[in-house]
Amino acid sequence: MCGFPTPTDTVTPRQPRGQERVITGNRQTSWAFADAYVAEDEALHWARERALEAGLRSVSPGTGSALRLLAASVDAKAVAEIGTGCGVSGIHLLHGMRADGVLTTVDLEPEHQQFARQAFRACGFASNRARFIPGRALDVLPRLADAGYDLVFCDGDRLEYVDYLAESLRLLRPGGLVVFEGVFADGRTVDSGPQPPEVLRLRELLRTVRESQELVPSLLPVGDGLLCAAKR
C-alpha cells in the first residue's frame, strides 16, 4: 500500500538539482552487470576486434542492447546512423528494427564501412537492409528525406553534435527518436575543471535537448552515456 511517510519513517533526502550522486562500488558493480546482461554473438565480437585494430571505440554491449531496444520500441523501418565504425552499433540497430527496415549509415572512412558490410553479412542481414554512404555527416544529412526516419543515432564528431541535432529534428517523424553516444566523455562532462571544446559542446547539447519544447529527453547511464529524446 502506498502512502505518505510518517515522522518515524526514514526518508532519503532529496538530491539538490544539478548535483551528482556519489557513485558507490556497488553501483559500479551493478552497471557492469547491466552492461554484460545481453550476450553478443560471434559477428559482433568480430566487428569489435576490427574496430580495435583500427583504433576505433565501439559502443559498449549495454549501449548496443539499449539501441536494439530503442529501435524495436518505435518499430523502426528507417534508421539513420552517423558513424558506421566497423558495424557494432549497426548490428544492434538492425536486430531491433523491423524485418523490412533499412539502416542508412554514414562514415568518413569507406574502409570501415567495408568491415561493417562483412559483419552485417555474417549476422545474416540481406545486403538491401543497409545503405552505406561515405562522407562527412553534415554534407550527407541535408540530402536525406524530411520526416523520413524513425530513429537517428549519432556517434560521430562530438564537436558537431549540436548540428546533428538540428538535422535530426528535420529527419525524424513525430514520435521518432534521436540518440547521442558518448555524452559523458569519460566523466569530463560533469568535471568542474577546465575542459576542451568537445566537452563544452557536449554540455551545450545536453542543455539544448533538456530545454527543447520539441523533445522529450532522457539520459541513460549506459556505456559512456546515451542521450535519448523523442520528437513530439
Side-chain angles (χ1 to χ4, degrees):
M1 181 176 178
C2 297
F4 293 103
T6 66
T8 57
D9 290 334
T10 300
V11 180
T12 302
R14 178 174 294 178
Q15 189 75 10
R17 186 172 181 179
Q19 294 186 13
E20 315 304 325
R21 291 182 182 276
V22 175
I23 299 175
T24 65
N26 284 341
R27 183 170 295 182
Q28 290 279 29
T29 302
S30 298
W31 284 354
F33 175 77
D35 205 48
Y37 178 68
V38 176
E40 295 190 330
D41 58 22
E42 288 303 314
L44 273 163
H45 289 306
W46 182 89
R48 286 190 181 283
E49 289 171 2
R50 300 294 79 73
L52 188 62
E53 291 169 0
L56 299 176
R57 183 172 179 171
S58 301
V59 299
S60 73
T63 299
S65 64
L67 292 175
R68 189 181 302 204
L69 174 66
L70 292 169
S73 70
V74 293
D75 195 27
K77 184 175 182 180
V79 172
E81 176 186 46
I82 302 169
T84 309
C86 292
V88 175
S89 54
I91 290 172
H92 281 290
L93 288 165
L94 284 165
H95 275 307
M97 295 168 65
R98 291 168 44 165
D100 60 345
V102 176
L103 173 69
T104 297
T105 182
V106 181
D107 200 286
L108 274 172
E109 299 294 339
E111 181 182 354
H112 299 162
Q113 292 188 322
Q114 288 302 320
F115 287 132
R117 286 181 192 274
Q118 295 178 52
F120 293 175
R121 191 180 309 119
C123 281
F125 297 118
S127 59
N128 64 356
R129 292 290 311 280
R131 178 171 61 145
F132 295 88
I133 305 178
R136 180 171 173 263
L138 293 178
D139 294 332
V140 174
L141 295 178
R143 307 202 305 261
L144 303 183
D146 291 5
Y149 293 84
D150 305 297
L151 188 153
V152 178
F153 174 56
C154 305
D155 189 16
D157 186 343
R158 276 34 171 186
L159 288 170
E160 298 180 343
Y161 266 17
V162 175
D163 301 306
Y164 296 166
L165 175 63
E167 287 293 332
S168 297
L169 289 175
R170 179 184 61 80
L171 294 175
L172 286 171
R173 63 165 175 79
L177 297 173
V178 60
V179 182
F180 293 89
E181 158 64 4
V183 296
F184 289 168
D186 294 318
R188 292 176 297 164
T189 303
V190 296
D191 192 320
S192 60
Q195 297 298 336
E198 172 185 302
V199 174
L200 300 181
R201 290 290 276 175
L202 287 173
R203 291 174 178 172
E204 180 184 353
L205 172 75
L206 288 162
R207 286 193 300 269
T208 301
V209 170
R210 183 176 60 192
E211 295 169 4
S212 172
Q213 298 302 306
E214 293 183 75
L215 297 169
V216 180
S218 182
L219 181 54
L220 305 184
V222 295
D224 195 27
L226 199 64
L227 176 62
C228 312
K231 180 180 177 180
R232 293 185 186 275

